[in-house]
């Protein structure tokens, strides 16, 4: 993870000369703050002097001052003042708090926590580069391991049960291509490794001679492009950022002009259970105190058993809450030795394999994992659904649709992918 730039927080969470924020990232306890000039610092929360937490520090006049003895640090961790030491004994030029490189872009504060003197490129995925007014960002915390959370994004067959299990094909508009996914909840699959990670297509019969495809991707280190939408304008992604081993900050980014996915009945009403319901607890200063949903494990996500019997397949309201319930109810770190994987889990299996191999090569040979030095590779990935001839190879169909897909920033690479 430290080989990549990582989203630390939203830019809006930090105010110039505002209070420092506790930040838990990759298991490290950090402090984030914005100085007088608007620059952001992310550093070890303990003062290098006597280890008092800089969370209690005074954010003033271009730096963060420890309240214990007054030592002050700039956003790069340099000690700029040592007021409890006589000038002749001052050694602030030799003191530096561990601070990480920071860049702000498109509504995010990004940090690089690796060892490279020259950090790699920032992520080149189009969704992550959209201006703030061209995308929506939803963020919430999950109380489970990051990969456990991510696996829910690349598990397509659960959509037909967890989210629309009570829906019938005649309930949706006959004009939508998504009706084929409602009518057939047991698709076949294709999956393959890619330069950016892995990709799959779930497919089932559509009208005569055609297949209905749902494409999705895993992208290193923790990005997914989900299939719930129309391929031509599905400019969206999800990031499952590890706070620590058992807590994940989930960011959902969507282009504002993206066509809405399947979410309403043919009469225009919401599909039972799909209407978003993202109510948050007040933020606290605890290490895990940000972006927590009111619906959580302790209250069983407000499951409504009567609704489960009569209208809402799960009895849980909202896609996000349904997903959260599914991945958190397994436990903080699921015991995968208890699993029995099926053909529908092919994407999950090859993604686990791809990640493990990348980790092993990095550990044994120092080989940089995918995308670290080749960010442009991610620009050939797009999730979403479309209909294509049954006689056409799945990768050829993908490459063909990529040629005409919308690209708001012109970053989508329209290079064909070779068929297997």
């Amino acid at each position: 993870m430290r080989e990549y730039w990582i989203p630390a927080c939203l830019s809006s969470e930090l105010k110039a000369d505002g209070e420092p924020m506790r930040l838990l990232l990759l298991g490290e306890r950090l402090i984030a703050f914005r100085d007088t000039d608007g620059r952001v610092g992310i550093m070890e929360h303990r003062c290098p002097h006597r280890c008092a937490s800089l969370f209690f520090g005074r954010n003033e006049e271009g730096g963060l001052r420890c309240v214990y003895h007054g030592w002050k640090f700039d956003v790069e961790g340099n000690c700029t003042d040592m007021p409890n030491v006589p000038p002749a004994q001052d050694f602030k030029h030799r003191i530096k708090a561990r601070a990480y490189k920071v860049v702000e872009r498109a509504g995010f504060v990004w940090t690089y926590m690796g060892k490279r003197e020259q950090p790699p490129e920032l992520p080149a995925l189009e969704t992550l580069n959209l201006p703030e007014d061209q995308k929506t960002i939803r963020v919430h915390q999950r109380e489970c391991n990051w990969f456990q959370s991510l696996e829910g994004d690349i598990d397509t067959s659960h959509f037909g049960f967890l989210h629309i299990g009570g829906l019938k094909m005649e309930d949706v508009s006959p004009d939508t291509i998504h009706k084929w996914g409602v009518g057939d909840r047991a698709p076949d699959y294709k999956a393959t490794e890619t330069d950016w990670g892995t990709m799959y297509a779930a497919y089932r019969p559509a009208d005569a001679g055609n297949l209905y495809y749902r494409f999705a991707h895993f992208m290193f280190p923790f990005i997914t492009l989900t299939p719930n939408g129309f391929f031509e304008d599905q400019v969206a992604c999800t990031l499952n950022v590890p706070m620590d081993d058992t807590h994940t900050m989930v960011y959902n980014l969507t282009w504002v002009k993206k066509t809405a996915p399947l979410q309403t009945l043919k009469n225009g009403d919401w599909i039972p259970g799909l209407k978003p319901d993202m109510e948050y607890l007040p933020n606290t200063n605890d290490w895990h105190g940000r972006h927590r949903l009111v619906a959580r494990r302790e209250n069983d996500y407000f499951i409504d058993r009567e609704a489960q019997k009569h209208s809402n397949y799960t009895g849980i309201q909202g896609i996000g809450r349904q997903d959260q319930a599914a991945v958190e109810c397994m436990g903080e770190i699921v015991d995968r030795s208890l699993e029995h994987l099926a053909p529908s889990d092919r994407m999950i299996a090859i993604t686990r394999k791809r990640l493990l191999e990348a980790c092993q090569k990095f550990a044994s040979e120092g080989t940089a994992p995918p995308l670290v030095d080749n960010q442009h590779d991610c620009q050939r990935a797009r999730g979403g659904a479309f209909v294509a001839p049954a006689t056409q190879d799945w990768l050829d169909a993908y490459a063909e649709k990529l040629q005409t897909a919308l690209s708001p920033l012109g970053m989508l690479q329209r290079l064909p992918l070779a068929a297997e």
Side-chain angles (χ1 to χ4, degrees):
M1 293 289 183
R2 293 174 184 269
E3 293 297 291
Y4 300 88
W5 284 94
I6 295 174
C9 62
L10 301 176
S11 291
S12 59
E13 294 185 83
L14 302 174
K15 307 298 182 186
D17 282 342
E19 64 181 81
M21 184 177 77
R22 285 191 176 109
L23 181 67
L24 191 58
L25 203 58
L26 304 191
E28 276 199 51
R29 294 187 170 190
L30 306 169
I31 290 296
F33 71 100
R34 190 183 296 277
D35 74 5
T36 310
D37 297 325
R39 300 174 300 173
V40 173
I42 292 179
M43 64 179 66
E44 159 70 45
H45 86 101
R46 291 168 295 195
C47 175
H49 178 212
R50 295 275 300 284
C51 297
S53 180
L54 290 169
F55 168 75
F56 298 100
R58 298 171 58 94
N59 186 7
E60 58 189 17
E61 300 175 346
L64 194 58
R65 188 182 294 277
C66 180
V67 296
Y68 198 10
H69 300 93
W71 290 23
K72 186 176 181 179
F73 301 89
D74 65 16
V75 295
E76 295 177 346
N78 300 305
C79 184
T80 61
D81 193 18
M82 197 177 283
N84 72 324
V85 175
Q89 300 172 19
D90 187 306
F91 59 100
K92 62 178 177 288
H93 61 282
R94 300 205 309 267
I95 299 298
K96 190 176 178 71
R98 185 169 76 248
Y100 293 117
K101 294 180 174 63
V102 172
V103 171
E104 285 194 82
R105 190 177 68 185
F108 280 97
V109 175
W110 296 84
T111 187
Y112 175 69
M113 300 172 68
K115 296 180 179 179
R116 295 188 181 199
E117 193 66 32
Q118 183 63 38
E121 296 177 12
L122 283 157
L125 185 63
E126 189 164 36
T127 322
L128 299 175
N129 286 274
L130 289 170
E132 288 186 70
D133 63 351
Q134 286 293 304
K135 66 173 178 282
T136 59
I137 302 176
R138 290 186 309 158
V139 54
H140 67 283
Q141 185 183 149
R142 289 182 175 174
E143 297 180 0
C144 66
N145 181 263
W146 71 275
F147 192 64
Q148 188 169 321
S149 177
L150 183 148
E151 285 182 324
D153 296 341
I154 57 175
D155 169 9
T156 186
S157 67
H158 84 259
F159 184 82
F161 299 91
L162 184 69
H163 302 313
I164 60 167
L167 196 63
K168 298 181 177 62
M169 194 168 177
E170 56 267 27
D171 295 333
V172 301
S173 170
D175 299 326
T176 179
I177 63 170
H178 300 310
K179 64 184 178 183
W180 306 114
V182 179
D184 183 351
R185 289 180 166 82
D188 288 312
Y189 296 86
K190 297 283 190 179
T192 188
E193 296 184 4
T194 64
D195 292 333
W196 53 86
T198 54
M199 67 182 286
Y200 76 82
Y203 63 97
R204 65 261 283 176
D207 49 353
N210 288 320
L211 296 175
Y212 169 68
Y213 283 102
R214 282 167 55 92
F215 275 85
H217 305 259
F218 158 73
M219 187 176 293
F220 277 86
F222 41 57
I223 302 173
T224 57
L225 310 187
T226 57
N228 191 29
F230 293 88
F231 187 89
E232 57 264 30
D233 63 3
Q234 178 79 343
V235 184
C237 71
T238 299
L239 296 85
N240 289 274
V241 181
M243 299 171 67
D244 56 21
D245 284 346
T246 57
H247 295 80
T248 304
M249 198 65 79
V250 180
Y251 298 92
N252 300 107
L253 286 72
T254 305
W255 184 34
V256 295
K257 296 184 180 180
K258 183 180 90 72
T259 305
L262 178 65
Q263 58 188 23
T264 60
L265 303 170
K266 60 185 176 184
N267 64 4
D269 292 342
W270 279 95
I271 294 171
L274 258 61
K275 188 175 182 179
D277 189 356
M278 302 281 282
E279 184 180 354
Y280 293 86
L281 293 171
N283 279 351
T284 72
N285 289 325
D286 184 77
W287 293 107
H288 300 110
R290 297 161 49 238
H291 308 299
R292 298 165 302 150
L293 295 180
V294 172
R296 52 200 306 102
R297 185 185 287 120
E298 289 80 4
N299 52 39
D300 296 320
Y301 311 93
F302 299 126
I303 186 170
D304 183 335
R305 293 295 186 181
E306 282 303 306
Q308 187 183 57
K309 288 180 179 179
H310 303 294
S311 60
N312 176 349
Y313 186 81
T314 62
I316 298 171
Q317 182 61 43
I319 284 183
R321 191 193 295 180
Q322 292 161 3
D323 282 330
Q324 180 134 348
V327 298
E328 287 186 349
C329 73
M330 303 172 183
E332 292 181 326
I333 302 178
V334 62
D335 182 354
R336 292 182 174 86
S337 70
L338 302 175
E339 294 178 330
H340 296 81
L341 297 186
S344 57
D345 301 307
R346 185 176 178 187
M347 175 64 170
I348 287 174
I350 70 165
T351 301
R352 292 177 182 178
K353 175 176 175 287
R354 186 90 161 95
L355 269 168
L356 287 170
E357 288 176 347
C359 291
Q360 290 163 354
K361 286 184 178 180
F362 180 70
S364 62
E365 305 169 16
T367 304
L371 292 184
V372 170
D373 296 316
N374 298 285
Q375 275 294 327
H376 65 278
D377 285 342
C378 74
Q379 296 170 351
R380 288 181 284 138
R382 168 67 65 88
F386 60 77
V387 172
T391 56
Q392 189 176 25
D393 178 84
W394 71 292
L395 290 177
D396 287 341
Y398 175 82
E400 182 178 297
K401 294 296 183 181
L402 207 62
Q403 301 301 317
T404 55
L406 294 179
S407 180
L409 300 181
M411 295 178 70
L412 187 66
Q413 290 191 16
R414 307 187 187 278
L415 301 176
L417 297 178
E420 288 182 321

